[in-house]
Amino acid sequence: MTAGLLKRHETILAGLTVLALIVLALLSDKFFTAENLLNQGRLMSEVGLVALAMTFIIVTGGIDLSVGSILGLTAILLGVFWQNAGMPLPLAMAAALACGTLAGLGNGLIVTRFRVPPLIATLATLALYRGLAEGISQARSVRGYPEWFFYFGQGELLGVPFQLWILGLATSVSAVILGMTPFGRATYAVGANETAARFSGIRANATKLWIYSAAGFLSALAAVVFVSRVTTTRSDMGTGLELDVITGVVLGGTSIFGGRGTIVGTALGLILIQALKNGLALSGVKGDGTIVVIGIVLIGAILAGAVFDKNRGG
Amino acid sequence: MTDAAIRRPIGRANWRRFLAGFGQEIVVLLAIAVLFVVVGAYNQRFLSDTNINSIFAGNAYIAIAAIGMSLVIISGHIDVSVGSLIGVIATIAGTLAVSGYPIWMAWSVPVVFAVAVNAGVGALIAYARIPSIVVTLGMLSILKGGLISATGGAWITDMPEGFMLAQMRPFGIPSAVYFMVALTGLAALFMRYTDFGRAVYAVGGNLEAARAAGLSPQRTVVGVFALHGLFAGIAGILFATQLQVIQSTVPPNLELTVITAAVIGGVSILGGTGTVIGSTLAAILFATIGSALIFLNVSAYWLRAVLGLLILATVLADMARRRRSR
Amino acid sequence: MKTLTLGIVLGLGLMSGTAFAASAWTGGDDLPTSPLACDGTPAAATAKPYDGGEPTGAPDRMGKKITVVDIPKLIGIGYFNATSKGIADAAAELGNVDAKTDGPTKANIDEQITFIDNYITSGVDGILFAANDPVAIAPVLKKALSKGINVVGYDANSTPDARQWFVNQAEFNGIGKSLIDNMAKEIGEEGAFAIVTSTFTTPNQARWIAEMAAYAASCHPKMKWLETVEAQEDNNLSFNQATTLINKYGDELKGIFGMTSVATPASAEAVTQAGKCGTIAVVGLATPNAMKPYVEKDCVKSVVLWNPVDLGYAAMHVLRAVADGSLKAGATSVKAGKLGELQVINGSEILLGAPYTFTKDSIGDFDF
């Protein structure tokens, strides 16, 4: 029964996505080319990586608004570790990833140990982590990375952008974890009914800690890709990322109340949004028009899903 | 089932629980007082009436918007589009004023617009069962993009003198302050003593129980959002008339500030508790902190980090307090 | 609970400690400065070889209709509305250019790059830009060059090899000199001033402030810098920050610099509402329309800076010349429509000219 319902939303979404792709391809002949599509894949990698973790988080009924700030913070730390602390670049990258994971863990601890609702906890850490990024960087950018570093964000492997490989790998792994492992089932259980989940022996707190840490890790990974793509670090990187990520995840059918959602849905949601942003721009619509369309699509898609689903709680 | 179950008991044995209900507000009030004392000692000009005026008046619109946001959060929902809405309200008001419409129209039409838009949002949430974060996330984009499309990014200047509501000073006090105090008081009374107010708490606290008690959650939600639109509209007018120029972009981060103010003020994101007095006090606290950090010569690089830490500290303290009073 | 409180207090203490100990933020960057001579003798111009980038495989666009997109730092502020108007005016005058302006709604490099990328894919002939970050924008601009698109920058530069030419409104040190000289004229040689800027990561503003500091140190050493506050590109925030400055320093504050077209009118408004018109001078960058009310009331004596409409106009003409092939590497000047011949400086920069000052007499003539 549940599987049928889930399939409903993802099917509608898949249909919408295909429809959108067709319309956009008709509007502009530059849209549906291999080069453009691969390029869009490159551009959506950062949002995509973070959205994978965000799916898990929202499935547990939580949310994380600080992912953009973690991206900015780890980007700055990458530069600081490499230039100011003199670490070799691979080590600096690893250290930055570790810091991002720690930041995510911090979020998780505040949510589980101190029982602060995730919305508020991550609202506070959004300001705190961004503030740390600004304070540590002292407004300086770090540039002049070695050539090999730019491979992550600008290079290609077998004709496909490198970060798209990373994104693809991460997506597959996430889909497997969420859909087929006990950890994934625990995630759904916690989101559907946390008290019941605890009673059946699921370690809800541990699950959440893992998930929030993963969000931190993936934000840091996105930061590395982003810095590699733009060859510099700035403390304002990633501002607004959380809204893009949440829009993609929610569009993908993940319920904000927890307990439902799939990686496939998130992937479709992100593809739809990226396709709209790109396709509309190519057919001459300016930035403001694109934003309006995305807003309408978001509401419309969820509305369509709700209309077909009469058992939706709320 | 009557409202006996919903009305707060104020017997002697329940004084502690009553106080705990106001605990967060007292914490915020104390924080404001401490700040004034400490920073005032550091630099006397912090306590000058021009500075106090600017702290209260300059951010009154945030407090007013936070009132509406508190109501929404108490009812168990959220609205991330309030910043965009205020930007749109300000532009509509300014455009009407510059195009020669009577001042009262320039003031009231945008407010009606805000109420209508938000009532629509509320209806989508209540009747179409779409989660509030989704609808308001979509609304945020629609309003923001729509604003730029409609104005082309052009600023509005040359507005008539009589339009500048926020710059009027009856008896020397900026009108924004009057609005803030009056609206807070009215809202607090409304939430406490009217059926609708209690219904909002009920719907936010326990939806099924509220429905069983004969309340209509749908109408309550639509009403709450419409009310929220009213406050956002008034906030927008004050925001528009503070300066001689209206930017046609939405003020950055406004929704986060408003939500944070409501939350710090004691409104629980889980719904069902909190007061509007708390959110107004929290908005004032924010404004005070913003001013204090400059007076205290805190390095600009660390401003946001300090702010984030303060928010975190307040929230942790609140959680600890709640656990203790249980 | 006790440990929690202790932890929070310690954390706050540590943070505040660092916050106080950190050196005062002036808003300037720490790149080398080159202040001009106090009396205005121009610095000896050293000829530099052309250091701009070159498009690969650009088609012959001489005389043909071209599509051009202008992507400023952000849209929705007076300054870039003005440059956009200049670009549109030039396009209309040239007759064979299809120009439009599009860009992010906040000054964010992430979004600006995506905008440029989309337009590259859509196959425009020319890109005009004002960069949010000189280095971050370079990869996508180089990609544009590699696709044969002509790239010209204005207002905010990128690294030289990422674009063909950059139209510079005025040299950084020239702007620094004009601003400080004007302020010194109004508040005297011993006056104290504060600065309202956008953010500390905006490169142009940081350069100007650094040059202002260097020039003031050598030519007006007794002028006192009080503080710099950041106000992003937000009107209300700029107003609140300026008001807080006025409240904090009281009579000590004699002048405020507004470093963006948003900060200056907001600061003027703060001064007006505080009743300090005439007591506190406001000097800075702004568009005339926003400043008219204050200049007319004599609250602000002069609005210094260049004409952004001319800046956009010149940029469009330069792009046309580059597309036509009439402006080549190594040129020493270029004809920009009604602005006449503009000089090439620093290898691949084109100087708009001397800063323009809007005063009470002239401000009425402009509408942007």
Side-chain angles (χ1 to χ4, degrees):
Chain A
M1 169 71 160
T2 325
L5 281 175
L6 278 176
K7 279 212 191 78
R8 247 327 155 45
H9 184 101
E10 275 79 6
T11 332
I12 297 178
L13 191 59
L16 249 175
T17 310
V18 169
L19 182 65
L21 287 174
I22 295 177
V23 171
L24 293 168
L26 289 173
L27 284 174
S28 163
D29 57 356
K30 304 221 171 50
F31 174 69
F32 211 77
T33 65
E35 189 192 345
N36 183 43
L37 293 177
L38 287 175
N39 192 35
Q40 293 313 306
R42 187 196 291 280
L43 290 176
M44 66 181 260
S45 294
E46 289 106 16
V47 174
L49 284 169
V50 178
L52 296 173
M54 189 67 84
T55 312
F56 280 82
I57 294 180
I58 298 187
V59 165
T60 63
I63 200 162
D64 187 345
L65 297 175
S66 67
V67 285
S69 301
I70 297 182
L71 191 150
L73 178 58
T74 45
I76 291 294
L77 285 175
L78 174 63
V80 164
F81 286 148
W82 177 62
Q83 192 168 79
N84 300 32
M87 288 187 199
L89 192 48
L91 187 58
M93 285 163 64
L97 289 172
C99 285
T101 317
L102 275 174
L105 182 63
N107 279 336
L109 282 172
I110 300 177
V111 168
T112 56
R113 227 15 83 79
F114 297 104
R115 314 266 198 86
V116 179
L119 183 72
I120 305 181
T122 56
L123 205 54
T125 52
L126 173 145
L128 179 60
Y129 292 147
R130 180 69 62 189
L132 285 174
E134 290 173 357
I136 296 175
S137 70
Q138 303 266 306
R140 289 191 205 107
S141 298
V142 175
R143 324 166 164 171
Y145 297 94
E147 269 305 309
W148 64 263
F149 179 65
F150 301 140
Y151 184 67
F152 296 108
Q154 303 180 40
E156 295 184 359
L157 185 59
L158 302 176
V160 173
F162 186 74
Q163 60 261 61
L164 202 47
W165 287 107
I166 301 184
L167 180 61
L169 184 62
T171 310
S172 322
V173 169
S174 310
V176 165
I177 295 182
L178 187 57
M180 304 186 207
T181 64
F183 184 81
R185 286 192 286 274
T187 310
Y188 282 113
V190 168
N193 189 332
E194 189 166 329
T195 329
R198 277 180 209 270
F199 271 115
S200 25
I202 294 179
R203 296 165 60 221
N205 280 359
T207 311
K208 287 187 187 177
L209 284 176
W210 276 106
I211 293 175
Y212 282 97
S213 307
F217 173 75
L218 286 171
S219 302
L221 189 57
V224 170
V225 167
F226 190 59
V227 172
S228 164
R229 181 156 71 87
V230 300
T231 72
T232 183
T233 65
R234 283 174 67 91
S235 61
D236 64 358
M237 284 176 163
T239 27
L241 181 77
E242 53 279 341
L243 288 185
D244 287 338
V245 170
I246 293 173
T247 307
V249 172
V250 162
L251 187 57
T254 306
S255 167
I256 213 76
F257 302 112
R260 301 161 49 133
T262 63
I263 296 287
V264 169
T266 301
L268 281 174
L270 290 173
I271 291 175
L272 179 57
I273 292 184
Q274 189 70 23
L276 281 173
K277 278 192 191 169
N278 174 243
L280 287 172
L282 289 179
S283 40
V285 178
K286 297 217 297 200
D288 41 299
T290 311
I291 304 179
V292 173
V293 170
I294 291 185
I296 296 178
V297 165
L298 177 63
I299 297 182
I302 305 297
L303 188 58
V307 161
F308 283 111
D309 168 18
K310 297 172 211 31
N311 290 349
R312 175 75 69 94
Chain B
M1 246 294 257
T2 64
D3 9 278
I6 311 177
R7 199 189 307 136
R8 273 198 222 157
I10 309 197
R12 277 201 70 166
N14 291 306
W15 263 120
R16 184 164 285 171
R17 203 181 313 160
F18 176 74
L19 263 181
F22 278 114
Q24 185 66 353
E25 288 84 351
I26 298 183
V27 167
V28 174
L29 198 55
L30 266 172
I32 298 177
V34 163
L35 265 177
F36 270 100
V37 165
V38 166
V39 183
Y42 186 80
N43 183 338
Q44 253 192 316
R45 291 203 197 99
F46 190 73
L47 302 170
S48 68
D49 44 331
T50 45
N51 194 42
I52 298 194
N53 235 340
S54 28
I55 290 180
F56 280 75
N59 294 282
Y61 73 95
I62 296 183
I64 294 174
I67 297 177
M69 183 66 76
S70 302
L71 299 184
V72 167
I73 297 182
I74 290 175
S75 77
H77 295 283
I78 192 133
D79 178 7
V80 294
S81 68
V82 67
S84 307
L85 184 62
I86 289 182
V88 170
I89 298 299
T91 304
I92 295 179
T95 312
L96 286 175
V98 163
S99 312
Y101 287 91
I103 304 280
W104 68 265
M105 271 189 81
W107 283 345
S108 54
V109 168
V111 175
V112 170
F113 177 79
V115 171
V117 165
N118 266 3
V121 168
L124 271 174
I125 295 173
Y127 292 103
R129 308 282 203 83
I130 308 181
S132 53
I133 192 159
V134 173
V135 183
T136 54
L137 207 52
M139 223 39 216
L140 183 157
S141 295
I142 295 176
L143 288 171
K144 181 154 73 154
L147 184 58
I148 299 280
S149 291
T151 61
W155 284 359
I156 304 178
T157 53
D158 273 339
M159 294 170 283
E161 266 304 316
F163 172 67
M164 298 304 195
L165 183 59
Q167 295 184 27
M168 297 177 184
R169 291 179 171 226
F171 304 113
I173 300 180
S175 60
V177 177
Y178 287 110
F179 272 100
M180 179 171 71
V181 170
L183 287 173
T184 307
L186 281 172
L189 291 172
F190 182 78
M191 292 300 287
R192 198 75 182 301
Y193 295 114
T194 64
D195 287 338
F196 183 79
R198 287 192 285 255
V200 175
Y201 278 105
V203 164
N206 190 331
L207 192 62
E208 288 314 315
R211 204 174 284 156
L215 299 170
S216 161
Q218 279 100 336
R219 280 205 297 226
T220 312
V221 168
V222 175
V224 157
F225 270 86
L227 213 50
H228 167 49
L230 176 67
F231 287 110
I234 298 178
I237 302 288
L238 288 172
F239 172 79
T241 53
Q242 256 185 345
L243 307 179
Q244 306 285 20
V245 171
I246 298 180
Q247 276 180 299
S248 60
T249 48
V250 311
N253 294 327
L254 184 51
E255 50 273 332
L256 286 182
T257 311
V258 171
I259 292 176
T260 314
V263 157
I264 301 275
V267 171
S268 169
I269 209 73
L270 303 163
T273 61
T275 70
V276 297
I277 298 183
S279 75
T280 302
L281 284 175
I284 297 178
L285 176 62
F286 263 28
T288 313
I289 294 177
S291 189
L293 289 177
I294 295 191
F295 272 78
L296 289 174
N297 287 320
V298 172
S299 162
Y301 296 130
W302 291 102
L303 266 174
R304 190 167 300 173
V306 173
L307 192 64
L309 210 59
L310 283 169
I311 299 177
L312 202 54
T314 318
V315 170
L316 290 175
D318 181 35
M319 296 313 291
R321 185 187 53 82
R322 273 176 214 268
R323 265 192 289 176
R324 230 185 324 161
S325 70
R326 229 189 277 145
Chain C
M1 185 56 204
K2 279 217 187 85
T3 29
L4 171 65
T5 336
L6 192 61
I8 293 180
V9 169
L10 244 136
L12 270 171
L14 264 168
M15 190 132 281
S16 323
T18 334
F20 280 107
S23 51
W25 171 63
T26 57
D29 60 16
D30 37 357
L31 296 173
T33 58
S34 48
L36 293 173
C38 305
D39 57 0
T41 44
T46 41
K48 252 176 83 179
Y50 179 76
D51 59 350
E54 285 290 346
T56 45
D60 175 25
R61 300 191 167 104
M62 165 111 82
K64 300 203 187 111
K65 194 160 181 16
I66 56 173
T67 43
V68 173
V69 69
D70 159 45
I71 304 181
K73 284 191 198 176
L74 75 160
I75 56 173
I77 61 168
Y79 183 75
F80 288 113
N81 290 338
T83 54
S84 177
K85 178 173 183 300
I87 291 171
D89 288 345
E93 195 178 283
L94 286 165
N96 53 5
V97 176
D98 190 3
K100 76 170 173 184
T101 301
D102 197 3
T105 47
K106 50 184 195 291
N108 198 309
I109 191 68
D110 317 13
E111 291 188 38
Q112 189 176 28
I113 292 176
T114 311
F115 271 92
I116 297 178
D117 199 286
N118 278 332
Y119 280 105
I120 294 175
T121 313
S122 75
V124 288
D125 295 301
I127 294 180
L128 289 167
F129 71 91
N132 275 304
D133 184 291
V135 176
I137 205 174
V140 75
L141 288 180
K142 287 189 191 159
K143 179 176 170 189
L145 286 173
S146 74
K147 305 251 170 185
I149 301 177
N150 296 113
V151 179
V152 169
Y154 66 94
D155 180 68
N157 207 355
S158 67
T159 54
D161 56 351
R163 79 309 180 262
Q164 293 175 270
W165 295 93
F166 172 66
V167 182
N168 201 349
Q169 48 270 35
E171 300 254 42
F172 291 124
N173 52 14
I175 293 173
K177 178 173 172 10
S178 291
L179 285 171
I180 294 279
D181 278 344
N182 270 278
M183 183 63 88
K185 238 190 316 190
E186 287 193 47
I187 69 176
E189 290 296 326
E190 311 205 348
F193 61 88
I195 305 178
V196 179
T197 182
S198 54
T199 69
F200 36 64
T201 46
T202 338
N204 270 7
Q205 273 73 10
R207 289 264 62 226
W208 291 328
I209 295 177
E211 290 289 348
M212 280 160 65
Y215 179 77
S218 70
C219 299
H220 300 274
K222 291 207 222 112
M223 281 178 76
K224 187 164 168 234
W225 166 81
L226 290 172
E227 179 165 354
T228 308
V229 290
E230 69 158 19
Q232 331 224 322
E233 296 281 350
D234 183 36
N235 226 347
N236 277 266
L237 185 58
S238 306
F239 172 79
N240 280 338
Q241 297 285 59
T243 309
T244 311
L245 285 177
I246 296 174
N247 292 334
K248 175 177 176 186
Y249 290 104
D251 294 323
E252 201 189 338
L253 181 69
K254 289 280 186 282
I256 299 181
F257 280 109
M259 303 303 296
T260 73
S261 62
V262 173
T264 316
S267 305
E269 181 67 31
V271 166
T272 312
Q273 288 198 16
K276 300 243 178 181
C277 242
T279 336
I280 299 185
V282 176
V283 174
L285 153 69
T287 50
N289 276 1
M291 297 304 287
K292 271 178 195 162
Y294 311 108
V295 172
E296 267 148 28
K297 288 198 214 126
D298 266 327
C299 216
V300 173
K301 297 281 185 308
S302 55
V303 177
V304 180
L305 269 282
W306 55 93
N307 186 331
V309 178
D310 283 350
L311 185 61
Y313 181 86
M316 186 68 245
H317 275 278
V318 168
L319 184 62
R320 180 79 245 188
V322 163
D324 285 343
S326 50
L327 175 60
K328 295 203 215 306
T332 50
S333 72
V334 61
K335 181 153 182 3
K338 64 174 196 241
L339 296 174
E341 290 284 330
L342 299 178
Q343 294 307 311
V344 170
I345 57 168
N346 283 344
S348 56
E349 291 180 25
I350 296 168
L351 192 59
L352 184 64
Y356 189 94
T357 305
F358 305 94
T359 60
K360 199 166 173 186
D361 306 317
S362 59
I363 203 165
D365 301 335
F366 299 89
D367 183 21
F368 59 86

